[in-house]
Amino acid sequence: MDRGKNLVIEYRFSQPSDRLAASVADLIALSPELLIAPGPQAAVALKSATTTIPIVFVSVADPVKLGLVQSLSRPGGNVTGLSTMVPDDFLAKRLEILRELVPGASKIALLVNPANPMQRIYLAEDVPRISRELGVALMPVEAATADELDAAFASAAAGHADAIIDFGDTLTYVQAPRIIALAAKYRLPANYLFRHYADGGLSVYGADARDLFRRAASYVDKILKGTKPSDLPVERPTKFELLINMKTAKALGLTVPPSLLIRADEVIE
């Protein structure tokens, strides 16, 4: 190791998803002192691969339901991190934003990745309840690979969806430009989870991912200095972002209500 340097970081990229197993095996073979998992697929795969190497996850909606930790306050085992879980129905908030943008919207498509274990749980347990409570039809359209995104949007349009929500995961994060283009092609007002979608995407509402990764760095520091993951409670997000792209709204013929503009953290003209 070079003088003045005391840290080596190894990266592995797991998109497309069939690379994930090989990426995990490569990292485990290096016998690292710590593993970082962005998203539920990587977190589940790494937890399945080791019970001894500390793992810090970032951006996992519900690590308890996913079986990553025993509880938020007492994770147990070798895993802890930063959750995107919030006490209130996060999907309901995103639906409300879309319905303000598209008054009268009664059917909203949900872009989901069936390979994402967190999304499978959410579809089975929470989506039917939220659909009933809000009186809106929620129509899942699936894409597990980049090539399936076109068919997912075509299915949403064929099903007469009034708008679409991208649940958000590694696949859709990487494929953001393609997804934004498909939403424009099919004239589907959309809500996204991550800030970088605001470059062309109609609306974004989600936890501030940059803040989550900054906070994860402090967990990495503590663990490398000897703290056990089981002694570090899972933290929830504290910063959220609402972004509205006025240019995209105009292209879709939408009028953004003042009440939404006032709440927005950023309005892109």
Side-chain angles (χ1 to χ4, degrees):
M1 187 178 295
D2 295 338
R3 180 176 296 178
K5 296 183 178 180
N6 61 0
L7 184 68
V8 174
I9 300 176
E10 291 280 351
Y11 299 89
R12 292 296 184 274
F13 194 60
S14 60
Q15 281 296 316
S17 57
D18 57 8
R19 293 183 186 174
L20 181 58
S23 295
V24 169
D26 283 351
L27 289 174
I28 297 296
L30 295 171
S31 299
E33 293 180 71
L34 184 141
L35 294 158
I36 299 175
Q41 292 104 310
V44 169
L46 288 173
K47 179 178 169 63
S48 298
T50 177
T51 58
T52 55
I53 302 172
I55 298 168
V56 175
F57 61 78
V58 187
S59 291
V60 173
D62 192 332
V64 177
K65 282 186 179 180
L66 207 53
L68 293 174
V69 297
Q70 295 174 11
S71 71
L72 299 185
S73 59
R74 298 180 180 275
N78 62 318
V79 184
T80 189
L82 284 295
S83 166
T84 56
M85 179 194 290
V86 290
D88 302 319
D89 282 325
F90 189 61
L91 175 60
K93 292 180 182 293
R94 298 180 70 190
L95 287 166
E96 288 167 7
I97 290 167
L98 267 182
R99 295 176 86 184
E100 286 187 67
L101 288 165
V102 190
S106 60
K107 180 183 285 188
I108 296 177
L110 305 175
L111 178 61
V112 299
N113 181 352
N116 185 320
M118 193 70 255
Q119 293 186 11
R120 290 199 302 268
I121 292 171
Y122 208 66
L123 283 172
E125 297 183 5
D126 295 297
V127 168
R129 173 183 56 79
I130 292 171
S131 177
R132 290 191 303 271
E133 290 176 355
L134 296 183
V136 59
L138 298 177
M139 178 176 67
V141 293
E142 297 184 349
T145 67
D147 290 340
E148 293 175 356
L149 288 169
D150 298 67
F153 273 84
S155 176
H160 304 292
D162 299 307
I164 189 167
I165 284 180
D166 173 11
F167 257 43
D169 76 338
T170 308
L171 169 68
T172 55
Y173 185 94
V174 171
Q175 295 295 326
R178 186 171 184 171
I179 290 169
I180 290 167
L182 285 167
K185 174 183 176 180
Y186 289 102
R187 297 190 61 78
L188 280 169
N191 180 263
Y192 305 101
L193 194 59
F194 302 109
R195 166 174 274 273
H196 74 304
Y197 283 91
D199 183 14
L202 174 62
S203 64
V204 172
Y205 182 67
D208 185 336
R210 296 170 301 178
D211 182 61
L212 291 177
F213 276 94
R214 280 193 292 265
R215 289 164 58 192
S218 70
Y219 269 32
V220 170
D221 180 59
K222 290 174 182 176
I223 291 170
L224 291 179
K225 289 178 178 176
T227 304
K228 295 179 181 179
S230 57
D231 293 332
L232 292 171
V234 174
E235 292 190 358
R236 293 178 174 180
T238 56
K239 295 182 179 180
F240 292 84
E241 298 180 302
L242 172 59
L243 298 91
I244 304 293
N245 189 311
M246 295 296 288
K247 184 177 179 180
T248 302
K250 185 177 180 180
L252 292 168
L254 300 175
T255 300
V256 182
S259 59
L260 198 57
L261 293 175
I262 291 171
R263 302 202 311 272
D265 297 285
E266 187 175 335
V267 177
I268 299 165
E269 301 290 349

